[in-house]
Amino acid sequence: MDTGSRSFKEPLYSALGIGIFTFFYGLISGSLQFWMAPVAFITSAFYAGMNDSKGKSINVSLSFGMGIIWGLIAYRLFQIPNMNMLWWTSSVFGVMAFIAIVLQGSILKFTMIPAWLLAWGTFMEITLNITIKDWPLFVLQLATTMLFGIYFLDFGSDYFKSIMYRLFPSHSKDSQLDHQPSRDH
């Protein structure tokens, strides 16, 4: 197979994999009534695009968990009455971001700050704009949609792509080496 054929297969297989797994994710999230289903697209794009995350899905997942915990803490702090909200929220965000980075650099080295902050920001964006009536369900749905992004959308489309390369292998040895999945899972 020549380079032109290889360069055509990569985007075709990626597009097919992403399209197929997005379709099935739509069915799953619609059936389960995940109103925050788009979060999975954010986490999938994050995982696929962040070079440091490749092969570290557990670390990214745990970092998402820390972001959700950080969101719960920040949200609770924002409920303190009689505070100047501009100064208070800015202070909470600044101090908590500082603490997160210190924790990640010392005792929580297994976490990844970009994933932690992405989850925290996603949590805050949702909770500061709508009223949450069932907090345990909200946290469960948010964590689930974040994990669906990595383990269903991203891993699924990579798996599909690897199957396609096995079904339609290249003819040269150099091209076959290029057809390995893009991440260690």
Side-chain angles (χ1 to χ4, degrees):
M1 177 173 89
D2 64 18
T3 307
S5 178
R6 165 73 174 120
S7 60
F8 175 73
K9 280 185 175 183
E10 181 68 22
L12 176 64
Y13 293 168
S14 291
L16 284 170
I18 290 167
I20 290 167
F21 278 86
T22 299
F23 171 77
F24 285 112
Y25 176 68
L27 293 175
I28 292 167
S29 62
S31 297
L32 297 175
Q33 298 179 357
F34 282 171
W35 56 271
M36 67 182 93
V39 169
F41 299 118
I42 295 168
T43 58
S44 176
F46 169 82
Y47 186 77
M50 186 178 165
N51 289 333
D52 290 347
S53 70
K54 302 219 182 344
K56 297 180 182 177
S57 62
I58 300 297
N59 302 78
V60 171
S61 299
L62 293 171
S63 301
F64 287 163
M66 288 304 299
I68 291 171
I69 291 168
W70 237 231
L72 288 165
I73 293 168
Y75 185 85
R76 184 68 187 129
L77 290 171
F78 293 157
Q79 305 312 306
I80 296 174
N82 301 321
M83 300 300 284
N84 176 314
M85 289 313 290
L86 175 62
W87 285 93
W88 181 240
T89 57
S90 298
S91 298
V92 167
F93 280 136
V95 170
M96 288 186 71
F98 171 81
I99 292 170
I101 293 168
V102 168
L103 288 173
Q104 189 280 324
S106 57
I107 62 174
L108 298 175
K109 290 183 185 251
F110 58 89
T111 60
M112 302 174 78
I113 281 297
W116 185 332
L117 297 180
L118 179 132
W120 181 26
T122 302
F123 181 101
M124 298 311 300
E125 177 63 27
I126 294 169
T127 59
L128 294 177
N129 286 293
I130 63 168
T131 302
I132 306 298
K133 294 180 179 146
D134 186 344
W135 281 94
L137 180 61
F138 166 73
V139 169
L140 178 64
Q141 284 186 336
L142 181 60
T144 301
T145 55
M146 287 181 165
L147 296 177
F148 259 104
I150 295 174
Y151 296 104
F152 188 77
L153 293 175
D154 199 74
F155 280 21
S157 62
D158 279 353
Y159 183 70
F160 175 84
K161 193 168 36 173
S162 70
I163 288 172
M164 293 302 290
Y165 280 124
R166 278 190 232 128
L167 291 174
F168 304 103
S170 301
H171 295 294
S172 74
K173 286 184 179 181
D174 292 336
S175 294
Q176 288 177 354
L177 293 176
D178 292 337
H179 300 313
Q180 300 303 316
S182 60
R183 285 179 259 336
D184 255 348
H185 300 309

